[in-house]
Amino acid sequence: MDLSKTFDSKSAEERWFQLWIDLGYFKADPARPGKVFSVVIPPPNVTGQLHLGHALNVSLQDIIVRTRRMQGYNTLWLPGTDHAGIATQNAVEKDLAKEGKDRHQLGRDAFVDRVWEWRETYGDRILNQLRRLGASCDWSRERFTLDAGLSQAVTKVFVDLYNKKLIYRAMRLINWCPRCETALSDLEVDHQDVQGSLWYIRYPFAEGSGAITIATTRPETMLGDTAVAVNPDDERYKSYVGKLLRLPLVGREIKIIADAAIDREFGTGALKVTPAHDPVDFELGKRHGLEQISIFDGTAHINENGGPYRGMSREDARKQIVKDLELAGLLEKIEPHKHAVGVCSRCDSVVEPMLSEQWFLAMRAMADRAMEAVRKGDTTFHPKRWENVFFNWLENIHDWCISRQLWWGHRIPAYRCVRCDHLFVAAERPSRCPECDGSDIVQDDDVLDTWFSSGLWPMSTLGWPENTADFARYYPTSLLLTGFDIIFFWVARMMMFGLEFTDKVPFKDVYITPLVRDKDGKKMSKTKGNVVDPLELMNQYGADAVRFTLAQLAAQGRDVILSHDRFAASRAFANKIWNAARFVMMNLEDAPQPLPRPQNDQLSLADRWILSRLDDTIREVTHSIDVYEFNVAAMKLYQFIWHEFCDWYIELSKEPLKAGGERQEGARWVLINVFDKMLRLLHPFMPFVSEEIWQVIRPYIDEANLAAHLPIAKYPEPSAMNPLSAAEEIAMNHCIEATEAINSLRSLLGWHPGQRVTAVIKASDAKELESWRSYATTLAKLEALNPDTSGDRAVFSHLAWADVGVDAPDGFDFELARQIVQKKLNEVSKHLAQHEARLNDPRFMAKADPETRAEVAQRFEELQAQRKLLTEQLRQLEERARKKKLVIA
């Protein structure tokens, strides 16, 4: 099998992924021996389209899953999707609207059938897109939150929690979306700042003259007022407490009450109290035994309690009420007022606080147990600072409103007897009422919040509540990799359910992915028009380049800043590896298959150096993956492959490859051995280009029981002994330092990159210099590397162990070069001062995360080294320029 001139990513992606699936490489087997590594995918919504958050999440999961599989773990990565109650129902309702229909016209059963049809058509779209990315899930185990087995788990949990008196039904003030016509949890409400108004309304006393003025942002809710509240310490109103007011436009008498919770500074210090439509007022009403009057129906139109305003939308009612108040002389003034408004996270409709009978789940005891598990280290967050977010939410948790007034979802297993009105909960629909033996039984219309079933995902997908082989082997899972925005929605609830029903945490580690931002650091959103489609990126750059870029940028605790330049650079990286492979293959003509390992004395210093660097890279990459530092692992790979292997070793291998004999045999074996292990390390990050190349070099690999394909090949391990002595390692480091210094001086002095020049060196260890002089001569394109015998034409770099210099070309303008270096020095000094100021700023050091502080400190050290180098170069150029002027004079 030959390598074409260029890498065809699209062809490789389609060919290899389907072959891996067909050969069953990603299939888990609970009977297989080995240490377990299991992961369940965060289930994307069936309404979903692949976005960069998904691409990042799945790429990082795939890196660690492929690594563990190659390391011999019994690995399971289970995929699936979430039915996404509100989102999916909304999507299907929009389809119906295009036909001029709504769900009520179809009826519940027909509508649910329609949603299932929609799911069959569109539900697998996002999973197919994840396959395109190369996700090595066990696709034979794909799950859906409405699968029969998962539904059984949901029912069991509901019934058990109800029997434990943790689930209960109550009349409470809840968040209501009038567009979706359902209750929402607090987490499903987003808060937006809006520019509104404060209306100052006079509430006349029921007896006598005068009035109390209240300020409100919602004049329409006055229809449901049952009191006006003041602070008991407010001298303005003390004498009025207990008196009656007449509710404007309605005429109902309401009392003035005193409560310490009232803010004397807001508005007039007097608060209208609407217990059925405001959370603060609801609590006030409970304390004072106030009547609760609901004035809205399910679509936020005024109901029968609104008198003449009945049937109006809340917006129209507001306009009419303000107009009527003004006509009655009861509107004192209107002021602009900025305040927060709750909106539905699914449809952006303004949420209405509504008094409603709903199902609730008591959370306090389960929350305490989840926090204790994290404090004990049973589950660890990465980065660790996210544990504080987890604790903060659970410490302030409220009971969860779990019922939704939707038709798509897990229907609540509660039943009511029509004859005696008895309510009971059961795992299966009963034929008779247990109270009166009546046969007319109706099921609760509500469904459960989507996150209720998602909270069981690590358990239910493995077969719980049955003790299946999968559940026994793969639960608890090893890792959850997810976004910070669902720590509350999902992570915490999985922790609580897992501990409640299995006495085990559902996962050992939680890795919180960074937020993906555009090249300007802005959060991606459709409204800003800066959303980048990962499918388009894969079409343009290839899946490998997209995966590698995301891994490179995924620093713990830091946002991912994307640009097309980064994807182009990763594609260039793939091409670099491809071209290196073509070079290797061109130099293997007539080579035996497999290549026999040469004797150690056949290996040159350069051979043993690259083998040593390979061992170090294996250790560093493996460790970085183990601690979820995916960006560090990617950068270590990049550094080794591009620079050490391609730029350094391949150049040094060209001469022995041409020489023939034992030197050629040694270089060939090293090239194949390094390439083999390098591709195995690279495979979890860039699975397609690595497999394409590995298949070509595979016949030359000398390994017993060699795997047929990379996904199941043995993960590389470092050699037992370092092939390089400590002295040889120092020598090669000196060779690299000297070469880099010479190349830097060549650039400074304007030598053409391909032009051979003479360099000089003054080193204390002549014997060591001889061990690598020929390498530096090759790498730096030198005519010669001589002892320091130059005159005034050479410019030097002063290294810790030697002085390295390059002669300037004839007629070189030292003064112009001095000016250029001075400009660079000024720029470096400016940046150095900025970094020093940040490091000396107590506020920055207190607020910045450890990664940022370390990065600034590292950059400060780099800039210091650059300044030192430039300062010395400037000194030499000034000296040469001055001498040249003297000669001319």
Side-chain angles (χ1 to χ4, degrees), residues 34 66 208 232 303 327 403 479 500 631 837 864 881 883:
R66 284 181 183 269
N303 64 16
L327 287 171
S403 47
L479 169 69
E500 181 72 20
N631 63 310
Q864 277 187 315
K883 287 184 177 180

Side-chain angles (χ1 to χ4, degrees), residues 39 43 426 434:
V39 179

Side-chain angles (χ1 to χ4, degrees), residues 433-458:
C433 172
E435 194 73 15
C436 73
D437 201 39
S439 60
D440 195 355
I441 308 293
V442 293
Q443 186 172 358
D444 195 306
D445 282 334
D446 291 353
V447 300
L448 286 163
D449 181 2
T450 297
W451 296 102
F452 192 97
S453 53
S454 299
L456 305 176
W457 187 250

Side-chain angles (χ1 to χ4, degrees), residues 651-678:
E651 288 302 312
L652 293 176
S653 72
K654 289 178 179 177
E655 192 273 327
L657 285 172
K658 291 176 184 175
E662 289 188 350
R663 293 181 63 210
Q664 183 190 58
E665 290 173 8
R668 279 176 165 178
W669 181 85
V670 170
L671 282 169
I672 286 296
N673 184 58
V674 173
F675 226 122
D676 167 37
K677 291 183 178 177
M678 183 176 84

Side-chain angles (χ1 to χ4, degrees), residues 174-182 184 189 199 217-223 277 295-303 309-322 341-344 347-354:
I174 50 90
N175 304 298
W176 182 269
C177 175
R179 158 61 187 82
C180 302
E181 293 189 66
T182 182
L184 304 173
V189 179
W199 284 269
T217 59
R218 299 197 64 194
E220 68 277 12
T221 62
M222 65 182 293
L223 302 175
H277 294 289
I295 63 164
F296 293 118
D297 65 15
T299 60
H301 285 71
I302 305 296
N303 64 16
Y309 306 100
R310 181 176 184 175
M312 290 185 184
S313 69
R314 53 189 169 177
E315 295 80 14
D316 289 343
R318 174 180 297 181
K319 291 174 187 174
Q320 189 60 50
I321 286 170
V322 169
V341 171
V343 298
C344 174
C347 71
D348 285 335
S349 299
V350 175
V351 167
E352 192 62 56
M354 296 269 273

